[in-house]
Structures are given as C-alpha cells and as structure tokens.
Amino acid sequence: MKKIADRRGTRLAIFLCLLPALAIYTYVVIVPIIGAFRYSLFNWSGGPNMKYIGLKNYQMLLKDKNFWAAFLNNLKITILCVFGQIGIAFIFSAMLSSRFIKLKKLHRVVAYFPSTISAVVVGFAWSFIFNYDYGLINVILRAVGLNDWAQAWLNNPDTIIGVVCIPLIWQYIGYYMVIIMAAMSSIDPSIYEMAELDGASGVQRALKITLPLIKNSIGVAVMLCIAGNMKIFDHIYVMTNGGPGTSSMVMALQVYKTTFVKNQFGYASAMSIGILILSLAIVGGSRVLINRPWRKERDF
Amino acid sequence: MKKKMVSMVVAAAMITASASSAMVQAEASEKVTISILCDLERANVGTGGLDTGFYAALDEWTEAHPEVEISLESMNQTDYQTKITSLGAANDMPDLFMLKGSWTKNFVENGWIKDITDNLDADPEWKDGYIAGGFDSATYDGRIYGVPRESLATGLVFYNSDMWAEIGYEEFPSTWTELLDAVEKFKEAGIVPFVMGNKANWPAESCWLSTLGDRFTGSEWTHSIINGEGAAFTDEEFVAALTCFQELAEAGAFNEDINSLDDVEQNTVYFNKTAAAIVNGTWFFATVDSSAPDDVKAATKLALLPSVEGGADANTVSGGPAWFFSVSNNEMDETKTELVMDLLKYVSDEHQADVSASTGIITAWANPTYDDSNVPALFNDYNELMKTTTVVPIYDATMDAALIETMNTGLQSLLIGEITPEELAENIQFEYEMAQ
C-alpha cells in the first residue's frame, strides 16, 4: 500500500514541477493557436467589427493560388536545406573527426559562428554579396573576366529559390554539425579500428558505420530542419521581400503581408492554421519515413 | 491544505500590491499625458522630409504647455505601418497618429479614428488654410478624419541634363516615341536610362504607374475607380498603360537589378551617373540638395513623363496629400480633448508648414511664409512647373490597401516579363471586386 501512495506522491511532485512550464507553454502556444482558430472564422480587419463567416476563409484558402505557390516554395527550400544543411554538416563532421585535420576546435567554432548571428543581419550581409553593381560575387566574376556570368542574382524568378537558400544553408551548417558531432562522439572508437584493420576506406567508414549508428540523431536534425524551414521568414523578408513578384514568397511572409499590408486579419489567421496543419503533416510524414514502423526488427 | 492556503495568501498579496501601486501612479500624475506615434524621426531633422517642421512645431507647443507630458514614439515608415495596425487590433491606439489616405475607410469602420469635421468647421481659418482638395483622401461619407501633411507629387522625372544633351536631347522628350528613341541611344552608350529601386515594390506603382496610367486613362477613370462608379482595371485604357510600361522595360529602360535594388540605393545609381534619370517624388529635392555631387546637382532638371499617342492630358503628375495627422477615438476628458485638438492644429498649420517650406518640403498648407533664396533650387523649379500642371490621384494614397499590394507585387513580375498586362489587370480587378 505504501508503495502505491509513494508513487502517487512522486507523480504529484512531477506534475507540480512541470506545472509552471506547462502553464507558460499553454499561455504562449496553445492559447494563441486557439485564438487564431477563432479569428479565422471571422471576416475581420483588425478592429471591433468582426463578422462571423464560418469556414469561408478556409474555402478561400484552398483555392488561393498564391498560398499554394508559397507552400511549394517552402517545400523547395526545405528540400534544398535538408540536403544542404544536414548533408554538408555530415561531411564536415566526418572530416573533422578524422585524424588528418588540424585545429579541430577552431574549425568547429568558425563553422558554428554563423548560427549565432541574427537572421536579419545575415540577410543584409548576403544582399550586399548578391548586389549587382558592387556585390562580392559579381566583383570577383568580373575580375576574372567572366563578365557574362555576373547577374542580378536576386532578380531572376527562375533561380531565386536556390539563391536565397545559399545564406540559409551557410548559416545553419554549424548548428547541425554540433548535433551530428555529438552523436558521432558516442560511437565506440574500437569499431573504427576494426574497420580500419579490415581495410575500410574513410568514405566507407562514414557511410557504412557512422551513418547507420547516428541515424536517430540525423532524424532529429531532419525534423528540426523541416520545422525551421516551414516557418522561414526573416531571411526572405530582408533579401527579397518575397519578390520579384511573388517568386520567393513563403507562407509566413504571406501571412505577415495579409495581416499588416492588406489588413485581412481573419483570413491571415486561417492561413496560420493552414501552415500549422501542413507543417505537422510534413514533420509527421518525415518521422514515419525515418522510423519506418512497418519494417520488422530483423531488417535493421 | 496548508500549502494551498499559503499560496493563496501569497497570490492575494501580490494582487493587492500591484493594484495599490497602480493607484499610487494614478495619483502622482496630475499632468495630462498625450501619446503620439509617428513615422517622423528626430534623427532626420535637418535632412529634408517633414521631420524638421514637425519637431520644430511640437517642441514649441510642448514648451508652451508645461502641464502636458508628451509620450512620443517614432520609427521609420515601414515599421510604423505595421505598428499602428497592431495597436488598432489590440485596441491600444495612441492619441495622435499619422493616417495614410488609403487606410481611411478601414480605420473609420473600425472606430479607431475621431471625426474632426466639427472642430474644423468651427475654425474656418484653419480649415481653409489648406490647398483645394487637401482633405479628400481623409474624407469618408462626407466626414473628415485627418488634417493633410505633405502635398506630394510622386511621379516627377529628375534627369541629368548634361547626359541627355550628350545623346542629343537638349530638353526632356515630350512624346513617348522620342523617349523610346532616347532609351535606345543611352543603351548604345552603355548608360542606364532610368534607375528604379523597386525592391519595396511601391516605386513602380506610386512613382511610375500613378502618372503613366493617367496618361492613358485620364483622371475621370481614376476617380470612378476610387468611388466605385463602374470603371474597371480590365478596361482597355488601363491595360494599355500596363502594356506600355512593360514595353518600356523590355526596351531596356531600367537597370538590371530593378527588383533587388531598394529605394535608397537607387539614388546612388543616379548620383554616380550610371543612370541618366530617375522618376521620384518631391521628397527627392532635399536628397539631391544634401547628397548629390555638385555637378549632378547642377545638371538635375525636372520634367513630366511624356505624352502617349491617343492618350489623355499630358500635363499631369500624380500627387496630393497621402498622409494625414489624425486623432484617435480614445476616451478623453474635456481638457485633454481640447489640448489634443490644439496640438493637432499646431503641428499641421503654419507653425509647421513655414519651417517645412524653408527646407524645401511642400506641405498641404496653401501659403507658407519662407525665404525662397535658401531653399533647394529644385523646389523653385517645381513651383514653376506646377503652375501649368494638374495633380491627379496617387494610386496607393487613394485605393484599397489589399488591391495596392496585388498591384505592387504584380508590377514586379510585369517588369521582368513574368506576367502579361492582361493577367495583371485581371488579378487587380479580382482584388478590387473583393474589396467592394
């Protein structure tokens, strides 16, 4: 009997300890989401006049070409970033954990440094780099005689998504490198020694040993990357403001513009709920793909 | 149980403490506080813009009213637009704020803004001090909600007359055909004919299309659009204006990086003679005066966009007051209302306008007193030019904000050939019908 009472006591203690965090989380996350859902049922321009229109905003959202184009842009950016950020971070981590690299700590610090800068600063710095007249890229291209290659980098709607991804990838490589290196350090070094004795090359060791052993950490990194890129806003806002036209428009920026430029608060709330659902679906989908629950234990 | 009691007591104590401190605060402030939110910054005093005149008037008034405490918050225009909308949504409007003409309908319908018609009628000297039509964009259903600030002209051509003389144009072209010919010649010489920094996406519409559109449609069409009297964006004339604009871009009239250059960077391109002309607003006078190299400053002349074949009157420029001083609908007692209205008058009448005019800013106050020997040279040229020029509406100062956003982003695509004029016209019309 005493045991059960004890367990109850522990549970109560856990609950009490979690309560403050839970309360704050509810207040800053759950309540606003419920609020946004309520607003999304109204035709509301921000003032006291709110007209209940049921699910009309959602009907409009389903047919809104611009919103789905923005969603597609988010997807493109996410795919480029998952491969760019995590892929390059994995290569760098593998290189840094090999014996041939000197000054490992310095490399680590330098690679992590961009993640500490504010997104707006990164956006501005890269707009200067992409500038047509005095930007670093064009200056170098012209200096080496490749005048034809110099172009207005942020002006071409066909390539703009790729171009805005460069700073994004650059900024977060270090962040994922830290996660991946932490995972790598937990691998028993004797495994590598054995592989080396068996004559496995560096690339083989990375792909056949490291990668499978840190699969869970990669999964977490992919999830973080997807979640981060579904809500991407500041870089794009600073570099292109969604332009030229709407070719680099992303969902969060569209919500911002719908709210504060077009003054359609109700419709923007419906968009936010749409983003929430789409993001949850994609993150959930990626978890399923990584964990593959339909595979049997012996397949691993 | 005991713990619960303790926590309740603590909570109760905290509530009483905060309540009593609020009471203490209320007792201590016998001063009347007037909150102001504006897009005019003290840091910009002396560099052109309305900032100089506004702060001169505000400081004078504050000094004369020691019983009033001014709580002022200022920021740049882009941030201001976001902030004021958020404050409105949070029902936390400042007492005195700046209203953009295109917001009037929305702000009035939401009850954020005070009807000042009676105050103006009671003081005819104040009301009649402004240029004709000065209150138009801040009028809704026959009631007035704001006092005009600057009287802008947004679509003026500033051209470097030396550079145009070199390709054989002593004067700025007066027909569109001549203009296209000049574009060709500049391109051969490796010079950008017109620079436009359209990253923030309003210059193409506010500075170019508001005037270029009028060349084709005439201002009757524009007024019909504003008042919802039957005109449509899909009308032939408007589509023709868009087509003409796109063809100008296709002919190479603009810089390569038109959509990634911003509206400050564009000035530099004109100042370092990479571009031969720029279409900009009256605010550019002071910028030329303070920032342009001497030779560019001396060579810069003013012109209007040329006439188009079969078009309307070509002696027009988009302009008029776009921004207004307004008072919010906050609850105020009689003393405060009187003070706020007095302040509103002081920052909008000659106390502000005279100072502004002497720095080359055109306000909506009809006859400011200033010394015309000290103002930027372009300011005097402008006053001369306006004697024969009619002012037509600026699109983004008079039309619905959602429609303008569609037009602005669409123009970015139009100028790089991503969308046809017909498609853009349909998109704008769709948004227009939604807003009606």
Side-chain angles (χ1 to χ4, degrees):
Chain A
M1 272 317 273
K2 193 164 176 284
K3 243 184 185 173
I4 293 170
D6 262 5
R7 202 177 290 159
R8 269 199 201 135
T10 333
R11 269 197 199 150
L12 187 68
I14 291 173
F15 179 72
L16 280 179
C17 290
L18 282 179
L19 195 62
L22 192 69
I24 293 173
Y25 180 78
T26 310
Y27 182 69
V28 299
V29 180
I30 309 282
V31 172
I33 290 176
I34 296 171
F37 179 70
R38 193 176 79 87
Y39 292 142
S40 73
L41 303 177
F42 290 88
N43 180 3
W44 181 38
S45 61
N49 301 334
M50 296 170 81
K51 203 176 122 215
Y52 181 76
I53 53 166
L55 293 173
K56 273 219 182 99
N57 279 330
Y58 290 95
Q59 283 174 6
M60 223 158 81
L61 188 65
L62 287 176
K63 283 185 280 183
D64 188 339
K65 272 185 296 178
N66 290 330
F67 179 76
W68 293 105
F71 174 60
L72 196 66
N73 282 340
N74 271 100
L75 279 187
K76 286 184 197 162
I77 292 175
T78 306
I79 292 169
L80 283 172
C81 285
V82 165
F83 286 100
Q85 292 172 347
I86 301 175
I88 296 177
F90 178 75
I91 296 172
F92 280 8
S93 313
M95 278 161 61
L96 277 184
S97 47
S98 81
R99 276 176 280 126
F100 310 107
I101 307 276
K102 299 272 174 286
L103 298 172
K104 283 182 190 172
K105 267 193 181 158
L106 179 75
H107 287 294
R108 224 162 38 205
V109 170
V110 170
Y112 188 72
F113 180 67
S115 341
T116 62
I117 313 173
S118 126
V120 175
V121 176
V122 171
F124 269 118
W126 279 86
S127 339
F128 290 133
I129 294 175
F130 289 133
N131 186 287
Y132 180 65
D133 287 318
Y134 54 81
L136 188 66
I137 297 179
N138 282 355
V139 167
I140 292 175
L141 286 175
R142 288 186 188 117
V144 298
L146 294 168
N147 284 4
D148 293 349
W149 291 25
Q151 52 173 296
W153 293 99
L154 295 171
N155 229 42
N156 186 344
D158 302 326
T159 54
I160 186 75
I161 291 293
V163 173
V164 295
C165 277
I166 294 173
L168 279 172
I169 293 174
W170 170 81
Q171 184 174 11
Y172 289 110
I173 287 177
Y175 178 72
Y176 294 107
M177 222 173 87
V178 170
I179 297 180
I180 294 172
M181 284 180 78
M184 282 183 179
S185 67
S186 67
I187 300 174
D188 189 346
S190 58
I191 302 179
Y192 289 111
E193 281 161 24
M194 304 255 267
E196 224 167 305
L197 286 176
D198 288 343
S201 72
V203 176
Q204 278 175 325
R205 281 202 303 267
L207 293 180
K208 299 258 162 89
I209 299 175
T210 317
L211 201 54
L213 285 176
I214 61 167
K215 206 190 73 179
N216 285 334
S217 300
I218 298 268
V220 170
V222 168
M223 202 181 73
L224 287 175
C225 188
I226 293 174
N229 283 308
M230 291 313 275
K231 59 174 202 252
I232 183 95
F233 173 81
D234 350 32
H235 295 83
I236 311 268
Y237 177 68
V238 171
M239 278 193 293
T240 65
N241 194 19
T246 52
S247 44
S248 63
M249 186 64 82
V250 287
M251 293 189 290
L253 184 56
Q254 188 146 18
V255 169
Y256 169 80
K257 285 198 169 191
T258 311
T259 315
F260 293 113
V261 182
K262 294 184 167 182
N263 287 329
Q264 298 165 342
F265 284 61
Y267 185 48
S269 301
M271 272 187 190
S272 316
I273 297 292
I275 295 179
L276 179 74
I277 294 170
L278 289 170
S279 304
L280 285 180
I282 290 177
V283 170
S286 74
R287 291 302 293 166
V288 171
L289 273 182
I290 289 169
N291 290 334
R292 282 176 287 192
W294 58 85
R295 281 176 61 166
K296 292 190 187 110
E297 195 62 39
R298 60 185 158 80
D299 292 350
F300 283 94
Chain B
M1 212 43 210
K2 221 177 189 179
K3 270 185 195 159
K4 219 177 193 177
M5 287 285 285
V6 171
S7 65
M8 274 172 75
V9 170
V10 171
M14 276 163 71
I15 292 166
T16 4
S18 59
S20 55
S21 75
M23 268 153 70
V24 170
Q25 267 179 357
E27 274 165 28
S29 60
E30 283 163 27
K31 277 187 161 186
V32 179
T33 307
I34 298 179
S35 54
I36 303 177
L37 187 72
C38 66
D39 60 328
L40 304 167
E41 294 178 273
R42 205 175 273 278
N44 293 343
V45 167
T47 59
L50 198 70
D51 315 66
T52 316
F54 175 74
Y55 281 103
L58 180 67
D59 290 346
E60 255 178 53
W61 191 86
T62 318
E63 207 161 295
H65 294 82
E67 78 278 20
V68 177
E69 193 172 314
I70 300 284
S71 136
L72 178 119
E73 204 181 335
S74 62
M75 60 208 64
N76 69 49
Q77 207 170 75
T78 315
D79 292 342
Y80 174 80
Q81 303 193 19
T82 308
K83 175 125 188 175
I84 193 78
T85 335
S86 322
L87 288 178
N91 207 6
D92 190 19
M93 291 288 278
D95 299 325
L96 190 75
F97 64 96
M98 310 295 153
L99 173 83
K100 196 173 171 178
S102 59
W103 299 344
T104 310
K105 179 169 173 263
N106 186 21
F107 276 44
V108 172
E109 282 176 355
N110 279 316
W112 291 339
I113 194 167
K114 189 177 157 73
D115 176 357
I116 54 170
T117 322
D118 296 338
N119 306 69
L120 282 162
D121 285 343
D123 191 349
E125 212 173 296
W126 180 25
K127 189 182 177 185
D128 299 339
Y130 295 95
I131 53 169
F135 292 95
D136 283 358
S137 295
T139 307
Y140 184 67
D141 254 354
R143 308 297 289 177
I144 300 172
Y145 294 90
V147 187
R149 275 169 38 170
E150 300 103 316
S151 174
L152 308 165
T154 58
L156 295 166
V157 180
F158 294 78
Y159 68 104
N160 185 323
S161 54
D162 291 348
M163 292 168 82
W164 285 75
E166 267 172 45
I167 60 152
Y169 282 89
E170 291 302 327
E171 295 258 300
F172 192 77
S174 60
T175 67
W176 206 258
T177 330
E178 279 178 333
L179 184 75
L180 289 173
D181 172 64
V183 165
E184 201 53 46
K185 285 182 176 149
F186 273 123
K187 270 181 68 187
E188 275 165 32
I191 293 168
V192 176
F194 291 93
V195 61
M196 194 200 307
N198 198 32
K199 182 176 174 184
N201 81 23
W202 58 265
E205 161 266 317
S206 195
C207 296
W208 277 86
L209 193 65
S210 295
T211 303
L212 182 60
D214 186 74
R215 292 282 180 278
F216 286 87
T217 63
S219 56
E220 240 170 71
W221 178 89
T222 322
H223 285 293
S224 168
I225 284 279
I226 295 167
N227 302 324
E229 290 165 351
F233 286 95
T234 40
D235 288 346
E236 211 178 293
E237 301 91 342
F238 186 73
V239 176
L242 293 178
T243 313
C244 173
F245 200 11
Q246 189 175 40
E247 280 168 3
L248 186 67
E250 273 167 13
F254 301 110
N255 43 309
E256 283 278 321
D257 49 353
I258 181 163
N259 289 328
S260 52
L261 202 69
D262 73 26
D263 49 296
V264 178
E265 289 168 327
Q266 64 172 3
N267 301 343
T268 321
V269 180
Y270 176 70
F271 291 158
N272 66 23
K273 291 189 274 191
T274 312
I278 181 170
V279 173
N280 215 335
T282 38
W283 57 84
F284 195 51
F285 298 155
T287 318
V288 172
D289 200 56
S290 63
S291 316
D294 288 337
D295 57 335
V296 176
K297 192 153 112 183
T300 299
K301 285 190 179 165
L302 279 184
L304 298 175
L305 281 178
S307 64
V308 296
E309 213 167 304
D313 180 14
N315 277 325
T316 64
V317 64
S318 53
W323 284 83
F324 298 81
F325 297 104
S326 290
V327 176
S328 73
N329 242 347
N330 290 352
E331 236 173 87
M332 301 177 200
D333 57 25
E334 218 165 281
T335 345
K336 186 166 173 186
T337 313
E338 234 167 71
L339 283 167
V340 172
M341 290 311 297
D342 191 52
L343 175 61
L344 176 71
K345 182 181 172 187
Y346 207 90
V347 294
S348 60
D349 69 3
E350 75 263 21
H351 294 98
Q352 170 265 114
D354 289 353
V355 182
S356 295
S358 57
T359 60
I361 295 298
I362 297 108
T363 59
W365 189 250
N367 293 305
T369 329
Y370 63 97
D371 178 4
D372 64 3
S373 60
N374 285 330
V375 297
L378 286 171
F379 182 59
N380 292 329
D381 296 351
Y382 170 79
N383 288 333
E384 198 57 38
L385 180 73
M386 291 312 282
K387 283 179 186 160
T388 55
T389 307
T390 320
V391 169
V392 295
I394 312 169
Y395 289 175
D396 59 340
T398 48
M399 295 177 190
D400 176 74
L403 176 161
I404 289 296
E405 176 59 16
T406 307
M407 188 188 287
N408 287 1
T409 45
L411 283 175
Q412 280 196 338
S413 307
L414 182 83
L415 294 178
I416 51 171
E418 278 288 295
I419 187 174
T420 66
E422 289 79 14
E423 279 173 321
L424 176 55
E426 265 167 39
N427 292 347
I428 301 172
Q429 179 65 19
F430 174 75
E431 200 72 55
Y432 178 60
E433 280 163 17
M434 291 269 291
Q436 290 292 312

